[in-house]
Amino acid sequence: MEDKSKKQEELASQLNNRLLQQLEENIKLIEELESQRDFNNTLIQSTSVFFVAIEANGKLLMMNDPMLKALGYTKKEVLGKDYLTTFVPTNERNKLSKIFEKLSRLHQRTFNENHVLAKDGRLLLVEWHGAPILKGKEFDYFIGLGIDITERKQAEDKIRESQQRLSSHLHNTPLGAIFWDVDFKVTDWNNSAKKIFGYSKEEALGKHANELIIPKEIQVQIENVFNHLLTQTGGEKITNENITKEGKRILCDWYNDVLTDLNGKVTGVASLIDDITDKKKMTTELIKAKEKAEELHKLKSNFLSNMSHELRTPMVGILGFIEILENEIEKPELQKYATFIHEAGNRLMESLNLILNLTKIETKKMSIELSKIDVIKNIKKTKSTFDKMAADKNIYLIFESTVEQLEAETDEKMFDQIINNLVNNAVKFTEKGGVTVSVNKIRNKSYLEIKVKDTGIGIPKDKQEIIWEEFRQVSEGTERVFEGIGLGLTITNNFVNQLGGEIKLKSELGKGSTFAVLLPIREKSISTKTKEPAFDKITETPKTKDRQEELKTLLYFEDDMISREVIHLFLRGRYKVECVISGEEGIEKAKEKKYDGILMNINLQSKMTGITAAEKIKEMEEYKDVPIIAVTAYAMFGDREKYLKAGFTNYISKPFSKNDIIELLDNFWE
Ligand code: ADP
């Protein structure tokens, strides 16, 4: 019993001792923690560094304020929590528990990067330095010092990504990319640089530019450029010849940029190179081809202009004599032949006129002469010249208008030509049914709309664009079915545009076409209702009352024998004509005797042109009021204006009909 109580006493005292020891340890721990708290408050809490203390069993002993704040927790919420399951994403727990083991079992320091889970589920990337805290030789707990590298990592990722992209661009670009150090030696060389210059990267690295690709004669110049780059005083864009590994000369565009370090110190140059040898060659060829085309175009215009001029003079003979023959011949069959020749001649004239107009348009020598005209009268007149053609084809050709008279200010010649071309085509391309020409006022009555509608062959959709181009037709080449030279619509379109209008086409294959021309009326500027006389100066010319008594005498300056003959025949019985073949001769004659009128060919084959001769005659006192009429094969739009300016009273173009010349002359004296 005594023994038993002794044993109990011993046990109690042992227990007491252990309790005391434990208490002491706890107090120590508390004291340590207390001093640690001071430490926290001073150092740990005032940095942005994360700080944790963790027990061997993984329980969180302590977390500093910056980390709590970053994770969105309060101290209460985290103390005593199992660190791995609370703050580490599942997929990283394994890795981290091995690190914890290193710290707690092997007492090793650790360095690692891992994600920390915030309260709201965000993940922060933290770089950790771990250290075991020993008590004597025993492990007590470990601490972790962490730096939040989330943003830095993101920035690094971005830099890495853009570096990758850049290097992929440099790798794949068709431009050569070369990097140089400050001594002009290669530090990098992409695939395209290899393709352009022939050297592989290995061959090029470390080599000076002069050893590789700079031709001898420009080495000094290029080094200067390089120095400009290094001193940042230019050289960013340069084009120069280079030489390839095979010794071939090539032309390159260089785009250069200096490379600097963080302190702004120049560390080298980056160059992008475009091999423009082929491009340059192609451009040169294109320029040459363009110049050639322009030259040919000019030649074509000159040729067409000369040709039509040259053809006009003989046409005076053909059309003039045939007109006389038509009247003189009595045998009906021969008369028919004469009519054929006349018609063929007229067609040839049409073509010549079109060509002349085209050259005039192309050389921009066309000027608009506005006058007031009654469009109804002009359309009717033009239309009537096709009545016979329509009747021969057995188709109708009608004109419709709701008004009797419709005045507009426009260029009469252009206007007539527009109507002529459209009606001509409509009749030409219609085999059954017919053609209706109509006129209306539209757009607040400020525009004329002239429609030429036919029931002809129509124009296929895919050709409706090209027919406006010069010489283009729906059926072209040797297979073409219809006559014509493909200029009518080109000229029509140009005239309509020059007159401030527009032209529209609606057409269906096999059913017919409608061309609608819109032209401004310009009514406001119309002051009189009557049409102006065709030639302004005619009225100023004194009129002789009694024509019957004595024929007027004309002096005709003409070097072409046939034209002289034709004029004689045309004016027989109405005017007395005397001819001279040169300017000089004519002036002498005019001095000897006063003529009532002068007819003047412009292109006289003598030193003196018709224009000079006319000026000289005008200078003579007695010829002040005598009409001088230009008779010329220079018969383009705007020429009349030119001759009137040069002092001529009027102008008639070759070839002319008997009626044309008589009407013109009679105007002076009737
Ligand atoms: P050309 O009549 O001398 O051939 P154009 O320039 O006047 O020249 O016309 C060009 C082409 O447009 C014609 O060849 C023809 O194919 C087509 N064309 C013009 N007008 C008509 C129309 N009224 N009906 C059918 N085709 C037309």
Side-chain angles (χ1 to χ4, degrees):
M1 174 71 196
E2 211 177 291
D3 277 0
K4 195 181 170 189
S5 67
K6 213 176 176 185
K7 214 170 181 179
Q8 270 179 339
E9 249 173 56
E10 246 174 62
L11 211 68
S13 113
Q14 265 179 13
L15 207 79
N16 217 11
N17 279 344
R18 210 182 299 157
L19 271 173
L20 268 174
Q21 198 185 340
Q22 249 179 4
L23 199 70
E24 257 173 328
E25 276 176 10
N26 279 346
I27 288 167
K28 217 172 166 192
L29 194 68
I30 288 163
E31 275 172 359
E32 267 176 24
L33 280 174
E34 279 301 309
S35 75
Q36 198 145 344
R37 196 181 301 142
D38 287 346
F39 183 55
N40 287 347
N41 289 338
T42 52
L43 256 173
I44 295 172
Q45 306 291 29
S46 63
T47 69
S48 60
V49 175
F50 293 176
F51 181 88
V52 285
I54 299 166
E55 285 181 85
N57 60 9
K59 294 263 181 288
L60 186 78
L61 266 179
M62 131 91 193
M63 182 180 280
N64 70 344
D65 288 348
M67 187 165 173
L68 286 167
K69 199 171 159 211
L71 300 186
Y73 284 112
T74 61
K75 203 171 257 176
K76 250 190 182 166
E77 286 174 311
V78 296
L79 285 183
K81 285 272 161 52
D82 179 57
Y83 186 87
L84 281 180
T85 48
T86 318
F87 304 108
V88 181
T90 338
N91 59 339
E92 290 182 34
R93 280 179 199 158
N94 243 344
K95 175 183 146 199
L96 212 61
S97 68
K98 277 183 193 141
I99 288 166
F100 281 12
E101 224 176 285
K102 246 190 200 174
L103 285 158
S104 56
R105 223 162 44 79
L106 305 174
H107 305 172
Q108 285 176 351
R109 284 174 172 255
T110 58
F111 173 72
N112 70 293
E113 238 175 51
N114 78 279
H115 287 96
V116 180
L117 204 52
K119 193 177 171 183
D120 58 8
R122 269 177 306 119
L123 282 177
L124 307 183
L125 187 65
V126 182
E127 193 178 271
W128 288 109
H129 292 261
I133 303 292
L134 303 179
K135 198 176 203 192
K137 285 196 172 169
E138 289 293 302
F139 172 83
D140 194 2
Y141 60 94
F142 63 85
I143 56 163
L145 286 167
I147 300 163
D148 180 359
I149 56 165
T150 319
E151 278 175 17
R152 194 184 83 197
K153 203 75 185 171
Q154 278 168 356
E156 278 174 7
D157 283 352
K158 270 199 189 128
I159 291 172
R160 197 176 317 114
E161 197 187 306
S162 81
Q163 268 173 347
Q164 273 172 355
R165 213 178 300 148
L166 185 67
S167 91
S168 143
H169 283 330
L170 284 181
H171 189 76
N172 295 320
T173 174
L175 296 178
I178 303 178
F179 290 80
W180 313 94
D181 63 14
V182 288
D183 297 324
F184 211 3
K185 287 185 177 156
V186 176
T187 56
D188 205 354
W189 181 274
N190 78 345
N191 263 344
S192 295
K194 180 181 163 191
K195 273 189 209 141
I196 295 173
F197 299 111
Y199 296 100
S200 69
K201 185 172 175 176
E202 294 67 36
E203 286 172 310
L205 283 181
K207 295 261 170 61
H208 192 279
N210 286 345
E211 286 178 75
L212 294 168
I213 54 174
I214 317 285
K216 272 226 152 35
E217 70 275 14
I218 56 165
Q219 285 182 353
V220 175
Q221 180 203 337
I222 298 298
E223 290 214 42
N224 275 340
V225 172
F226 192 74
N227 287 333
H228 278 307
L229 282 161
L230 295 184
T231 50
Q232 303 188 347
T233 50
E236 288 80 7
K237 161 89 208 301
I238 167 171
T239 303
N240 58 269
E241 253 197 3
N242 287 105
I243 191 156
T244 68
K245 189 179 172 186
E246 290 174 343
K248 205 176 108 192
R249 294 279 174 141
I250 56 172
L251 191 69
C252 296
D253 273 341
W254 287 77
Y255 303 90
N256 306 312
D257 221 343
V258 276
L259 303 168
T260 52
D261 64 14
L262 283 176
N263 302 318
K265 191 175 148 221
V266 175
T267 57
V269 169
S271 302
L272 289 175
I273 308 104
D274 190 5
D275 176 2
I276 55 163
T277 319
D278 291 344
K279 226 189 283 175
K280 185 81 187 174
K281 216 169 114 195
M282 235 156 68
T283 320
T284 318
E285 275 167 15
L286 273 176
I287 291 172
K288 263 198 209 146
K290 187 177 158 261
E291 281 168 359
K292 188 91 199 153
E294 277 168 1
E295 197 184 314
L296 280 177
H297 190 72
K298 223 163 102 192
L299 269 179
K300 182 203 76 178
S301 292
N302 285 346
F303 168 74
L304 289 176
S305 157
N306 289 344
M307 189 193 73
S308 57
H309 174 255
E310 286 311 303
L311 291 179
R312 287 186 93 88
T313 309
M315 283 308 286
V316 177
I318 297 172
L319 289 178
F321 287 125
I322 207 66
E323 201 180 329
I324 292 160
L325 283 181
E326 261 182 314
N327 293 327
E328 300 285 323
I329 295 171
E330 278 165 15
K331 211 172 167 189
E333 204 184 352
L334 291 184
Q335 213 174 40
K336 204 168 84 190
Y337 296 159
T339 309
F340 285 155
I341 298 177
H342 202 172
E343 276 172 9
N346 278 338
R347 199 178 129 201
L348 193 57
M349 275 308 300
E350 278 273 307
S351 300
L352 284 178
N353 282 334
L354 286 171
I355 292 173
L356 266 180
N357 285 338
L358 177 79
T359 54
K360 189 86 191 184
I361 289 169
E362 284 182 347
T363 49
K364 300 202 165 52
K365 282 189 189 146
M366 188 94 100
S367 60
I368 299 176
E369 292 168 31
L370 291 181
S371 66
K372 289 139 235 170
I373 62 162
D374 175 5
V375 294
I376 307 267
K377 205 166 132 198
N378 278 54
I379 296 173
K380 275 185 180 164
K381 196 172 144 209
T382 308
K383 184 222 125 210
S384 69
T385 59
F386 293 97
D387 285 344
K388 185 170 178 299
M389 187 173 158
D392 287 348
K393 292 183 84 175
N394 216 6
I395 58 171
Y396 62 81
L397 172 58
I398 48 176
F399 174 64
E400 284 173 354
S401 168
T402 45
V403 287
E404 279 288 301
Q405 202 190 14
L406 208 168
E407 284 177 336
E409 192 175 79
T410 192
D411 183 303
E412 185 169 18
K413 275 195 179 173
M414 286 187 179
F415 182 84
D416 289 348
Q417 185 88 74
I418 292 165
I419 307 299
N420 180 80
N421 292 352
L422 294 179
V423 177
N424 187 8
N425 277 346
V427 174
K428 183 161 81 180
F429 294 107
T430 304
E431 297 306 327
K432 47 179 198 282
V435 178
T436 312
V437 185
S438 62
V439 64
N440 262 311
K441 279 187 186 179
I442 60 162
R443 293 191 182 167
N444 253 342
K445 303 200 171 166
S446 60
Y447 273 80
L448 289 175
E449 186 191 47
I450 302 142
K451 279 189 178 167
V452 180
K453 184 173 179 223
D454 66 58
T455 58
I457 59 171
I459 302 162
K461 280 257 156 344
D462 63 331
K463 302 280 180 180
Q464 288 182 12
E465 288 279 316
I466 62 143
I467 52 166
W468 304 98
E469 293 168 22
E470 59 190 63
F471 304 116
R472 298 305 302 267
Q473 300 171 311
V474 171
S475 68
E476 288 171 340
T478 46
E479 281 148 40
R480 84 197 182 111
V481 198
F482 294 93
E483 62 199 33
I485 52 174
L487 287 180
L489 289 181
T490 314
I491 290 165
T492 303
N493 189 31
N494 183 284
F495 284 4
V496 171
N497 286 335
Q498 289 203 55
L499 294 177
E502 52 189 273
I503 183 162
K504 290 179 198 157
L505 163 66
K506 262 193 201 154
S507 185
E508 205 177 319
L509 202 61
K511 291 203 170 153
S513 315
T514 303
F515 286 85
V517 176
L518 258 74
L519 289 175
I521 292 181
R522 300 192 181 95
E523 224 165 8
K524 279 186 198 114
S525 59
I526 297 170
S527 50
T528 51
K529 284 210 164 180
T530 47
K531 203 183 132 201
E532 280 191 341
F535 307 108
D536 342 306
K537 299 211 174 161
I538 297 169
T539 45
E540 292 164 18
T541 323
K543 289 177 184 172
T544 311
K545 285 167 212 148
D546 195 1
R547 213 186 123 227
Q548 304 299 90
E549 279 171 15
E550 200 190 315
L551 297 184
K552 298 283 168 206
T553 322
L554 306 174
L555 181 61
Y556 183 25
F557 290 63
E558 176 60 84
D559 55 350
D560 177 53
M561 189 266 284
I562 294 176
S563 299
R564 293 198 300 264
E565 204 57 37
V566 168
I567 285 269
H568 271 301
L569 288 171
F570 277 177
L571 301 183
R572 200 164 49 183
R574 299 180 83 99
Y575 291 91
K576 233 198 261 169
V577 185
E578 286 178 29
C579 294
V580 288
I581 58 170
S582 74
E584 292 84 349
E585 187 193 345
I587 286 163
E588 283 313 308
K589 272 215 154 201
K591 278 182 189 160
E592 284 165 18
K593 173 180 158 187
K594 190 188 169 199
Y595 292 88
D596 299 302
I598 307 283
L599 296 172
M600 180 75 74
N601 179 24
I602 300 295
N603 201 11
L604 292 168
Q605 276 166 22
S606 61
K607 270 188 214 144
M608 194 184 285
T609 68
I611 293 182
T612 323
E615 277 167 7
K616 292 224 177 296
I617 289 176
K618 267 269 166 248
E619 282 167 13
M620 296 184 206
E621 188 52 38
E622 65 272 34
Y623 278 94
K624 239 173 62 204
D625 295 325
V626 172
I628 306 179
I629 295 135
V631 184
T632 174
Y634 290 107
M636 298 197 259
F637 275 90
D639 281 348
R640 178 175 162 258
E641 183 81 349
K642 192 168 88 190
Y643 294 126
L644 294 183
K645 257 196 207 139
F648 286 93
T649 323
N650 213 330
Y651 152 85
I652 188 164
S653 68
K654 286 177 181 178
F656 41 80
S657 71
K658 188 174 169 181
N659 266 350
D660 290 341
I661 184 88
I662 288 176
E663 203 181 309
L664 174 73
L665 291 172
D666 283 356
N667 249 321
F668 288 98
W669 292 286
E670 267 186 353

